[in-house]
Amino acid sequence: MFDSLSSKLEKAFKTLKGQGKISEINVAETVKEIRKALIDADVNYKIAKQFTDTIRDKAIGQNVLTSVSPGQLMVKIVNDELTELLGGQTVDMNTAGNPAVILMAGLQGSGKTTHSAKLASYIKKKGKTVMMAACDVYRPAAIEQLKVLGAQIDVPVFFEEGNKSPVKIAENALKAAREQGISVLIVDTAGRLSIDEQMMEEIGNIKKALNPKEILFVVDSMTGQDAVNTAKAFNDVLDFSGVILTKLDGDTRGGAALSIKSIVNKPIKFVGTGEKMEALDVFHPDRMAQRILGMGDIVSLVERAQGVFDEEEANRIQKKLLKDQFTFQDFLQQIQQIKKMGNLKDLMAMIPGVGKAIKDLDISDDAFKGIEAIIHSMTPQERNNPDLINGSRRKRIANGSGTDIQQVNQLLKQFEEMRKMMRTMSKFQGTGRAMPKLPFMK
Ligand SMILES: Nc1nc2c(ncn2[C@@H]2O[C@H](COP(=O)(O)OP(=O)(O)OP(=O)(O)O)[C@@H](O)[C@H]2O)c(=O)[nH]1
Ligand SMILES: [Mg+2]
């Protein structure tokens, strides 16, 4: 995410590294680099200029501070200003109402339908009842798409197959949701290739009919500055309450994320980072700024883990580990939960310092494939008692999983080492003695 922007900013700070103090000359140089980085990221020129002017003034104004190095001071100033540029505060979604209505709007293919479902799943996890309404009557498969997603996350979908009026469908959905005591109704609407009057009128009418508390403008972050023009047009008609920035998992430069708040003065509330239902994050300007500056985002990583792992399961696993009863079956379940957290490279990039290091590495989600195949080829008895797995069984497992015997041996060895380590740890638990040297410590 924003890799190129991150590395260009890092380069800009380098100008100041090793400098004893901030001067107008070295600040000017750094600021020029920052401005270039932003423009390369497809940030509007005016916004980039205003941003860097502020940075320059602050840097020179804070010259008196001698306790930190110029490089660190600059990173701090840029971090603060980036946070502001991204919106400053985290803004919550409004789900009050009877039911609360969330209207999704945006261009074709921006991710409205996918994010209707992600949002539904997110709200459902918070313990509220949700319904989705299929108001895209134009694209032939649109209703079916929402129904499939609804089934996947177990959320009801309101639709009227023959009805060609999105406004009527929306009204009927609201009625149905109210009758059924649903707390949140998410209304998925049709997109167009570009802004057109008829479309704007239609979505405007849906707004009038439903009076939604939350209107979310869904925008593909790959579109950069163009996204901002679209946002403006939608905002003029809808006065929307927030933005969902989608496809941040792609090769986005960051322009849309960094420009939107300045142009429409509406907060980004969520970001989409993949096609899976779990790939939705609440947007926190401060954390995003830190991420852009290569400081990682460990808080979001933990939150993602909390969303996927349930506590009971974690306790069960921990007990099993300590009692030396951890099996390949448990291992398989753990892998499956990690995979639910999202794209592996994205996850690793959230760890401070790791993003930069793995930037050019090809880390695919297939990383677990071999391991999973091997475990799948084991019988239930073997999974529960790896000691059973002798030479001939290893051969069978290798054949069955399309791997070779070395890979099977390696996995068994790693698994055994992990168990050994756990045994040692549990022995020392509560004895007050220092931890012994573990096998992987050199
Ligand atoms: N990688 C990635 N793909 C996404 C994301 N959000 C949506 N997509 C994909 O983008 C495509 C379009 O998404 P939709 O949700 O159908 O978009 P839409 O705005 O409803 O499209 P229309 O209804 O045709 O206007 C689908 O293939 C989605 O799987 C995301 O955050 N990351
Ligand atoms: Mg759609």
Side-chain angles (χ1 to χ4, degrees):
M1 198 185 290
F2 307 157
D3 284 349
S4 141
L5 175 62
S6 295
S7 60
K8 283 183 187 141
L9 286 176
E10 199 200 356
K11 209 176 115 223
F13 296 133
K14 274 216 180 101
T15 338
L16 279 176
K17 273 211 182 116
Q19 306 260 5
K21 59 185 235 211
I22 280 190
S23 72
E24 295 206 12
I25 297 168
N26 59 27
V27 164
E29 228 174 293
T30 309
V31 160
K32 204 173 102 197
E33 292 284 325
I34 295 175
R35 189 178 304 173
K36 246 174 57 196
L38 290 174
I39 289 169
D40 287 350
D42 205 12
V43 174
N44 174 282
Y45 176 78
K46 264 196 216 149
I47 298 173
K49 179 164 182 335
Q50 204 173 24
F51 180 81
T52 44
D53 285 352
T54 313
I55 304 259
R56 186 195 53 217
D57 295 348
K58 284 204 169 161
I60 292 173
Q62 289 182 21
N63 201 5
V64 281
L65 264 182
T66 47
S67 58
V68 284
S69 75
Q72 285 168 334
L73 178 62
M74 199 55 145
V75 173
K76 163 84 172 74
I77 294 171
V78 174
N79 183 34
D80 291 351
E81 289 308 308
L82 262 186
T83 305
E84 275 312 305
L85 192 62
L86 289 163
Q89 303 289 320
T90 305
V91 184
D92 230 350
M93 180 171 52
N94 186 349
T95 50
N98 185 26
V101 177
I102 301 176
L103 179 60
M104 309 289 273
L107 290 183
Q108 193 171 67
S110 55
K112 294 176 297 300
T113 306
T114 312
H115 285 77
S116 296
K118 285 188 195 177
L119 213 53
S121 168
Y122 171 84
I123 293 167
K124 191 176 159 217
K125 276 194 188 140
K126 298 206 164 240
K128 293 199 175 199
T129 47
V130 198
M131 180 189 264
M132 296 191 285
C135 293
D136 180 353
V137 297
Y138 305 101
R139 201 160 54 80
I143 297 176
E144 191 54 33
Q145 186 192 359
L146 198 66
K147 275 159 67 179
V148 168
L149 291 173
Q152 205 178 316
I153 56 173
D154 198 18
V155 162
V157 173
F158 185 92
F159 64 97
E160 288 180 333
E161 210 75 67
N163 194 341
K164 287 286 165 214
S165 160
V167 179
K168 290 266 162 55
I169 300 172
E171 282 172 340
N172 292 341
L174 180 60
K175 220 182 290 162
R178 199 166 279 152
E179 276 165 16
Q180 293 173 37
I182 299 277
S183 5
V184 182
L185 175 69
I186 300 176
V187 181
D188 181 30
T189 63
R192 297 286 192 285
L193 273 177
S194 64
I195 309 149
D196 71 57
E197 247 172 60
Q198 198 198 341
M199 172 206 193
M200 286 301 178
E201 196 183 313
E202 182 183 291
I203 191 118
N205 287 337
I206 299 180
K207 177 185 172 179
K208 266 185 225 137
L210 298 186
N211 191 22
K213 287 281 173 313
E214 193 71 73
I215 302 173
L216 296 175
F217 173 61
V218 181
V219 61
D220 180 339
S221 59
M222 306 285 276
T223 39
Q225 267 194 64
D226 284 349
V228 174
N229 299 330
T230 324
K232 207 161 171 303
F234 271 88
N235 196 43
D236 288 345
V237 174
L238 289 176
D239 187 20
F240 55 71
S241 52
V243 177
I244 302 184
L245 204 54
T246 67
K247 309 189 192 179
L248 268 191
D249 51 316
D251 206 5
T252 67
R253 289 185 287 166
L258 291 162
S259 312
I260 235 158
K261 169 78 197 231
S262 314
I263 304 276
V264 291
N265 197 26
K266 294 290 165 67
I268 300 171
K269 294 195 172 176
F270 292 94
V271 292
T273 55
E275 299 190 45
K276 291 184 191 158
M277 287 296 103
E278 290 81 11
L280 181 78
D281 286 323
V282 173
F283 183 73
H284 300 283
D286 51 347
R287 296 188 202 169
M288 184 58 81
Q290 287 179 11
R291 221 154 134 172
I292 292 173
L293 293 175
M295 302 177 201
D297 183 2
I298 205 80
V299 184
S300 297
L301 183 62
V302 171
E303 280 175 1
R304 250 217 235 166
Q306 281 169 337
V308 171
F309 287 84
D310 76 72
E311 205 175 335
E312 240 170 72
E313 171 71 6
N315 284 338
R316 189 184 71 83
I317 292 288
Q318 198 189 4
K319 269 196 201 122
K320 288 190 92 166
L321 277 169
L322 290 175
K323 283 194 192 153
D324 195 19
Q325 290 169 349
F326 188 72
T327 67
F328 269 115
Q329 187 57 36
D330 300 317
F331 193 41
L332 192 61
Q333 274 170 13
Q334 296 281 294
I335 292 176
Q336 276 152 1
Q337 288 196 311
I338 291 172
K339 278 169 58 183
K340 269 205 235 156
M341 281 171 65
N343 174 291
L344 205 56
K345 193 166 179 180
D346 281 351
L347 290 178
M348 289 174 74
M350 287 159 108
I351 304 169
V354 172
K356 211 169 51 185
I358 62 167
K359 192 170 75 214
D360 300 319
L361 287 183
D362 182 26
I363 300 170
S364 71
D365 275 357
D366 292 347
F368 294 123
K369 231 184 190 162
I371 300 177
E372 280 177 298
I374 293 174
I375 302 177
H376 277 303
S377 295
M378 295 177 185
T379 64
Q381 288 85 350
E382 287 165 349
R383 288 185 206 178
N384 285 324
N385 182 11
D387 296 334
L388 284 177
I389 308 175
N390 58 18
S392 66
R393 285 179 190 245
R394 285 176 198 218
K395 208 159 159 198
R396 193 206 75 235
I397 292 168
N399 282 338
S401 58
T403 58
D404 55 43
I405 209 145
Q406 278 90 339
Q407 281 169 282
V408 176
N409 284 340
Q410 196 188 3
L411 180 64
L412 286 169
K413 193 165 154 240
Q414 284 169 341
F415 192 78
E416 183 48 37
E417 271 180 14
M418 186 168 81
R419 289 205 335 190
K420 234 195 273 168
M421 183 178 93
M422 288 304 155
R423 246 173 275 163
T424 329
M425 276 172 67
S426 62
K427 229 191 277 165
F428 281 82
Q429 248 204 0
T431 61
R433 275 197 283 167
M435 280 262 291
K437 225 176 186 182
L438 299 173
F440 60 82
M441 292 181 178
K442 289 262 149 64

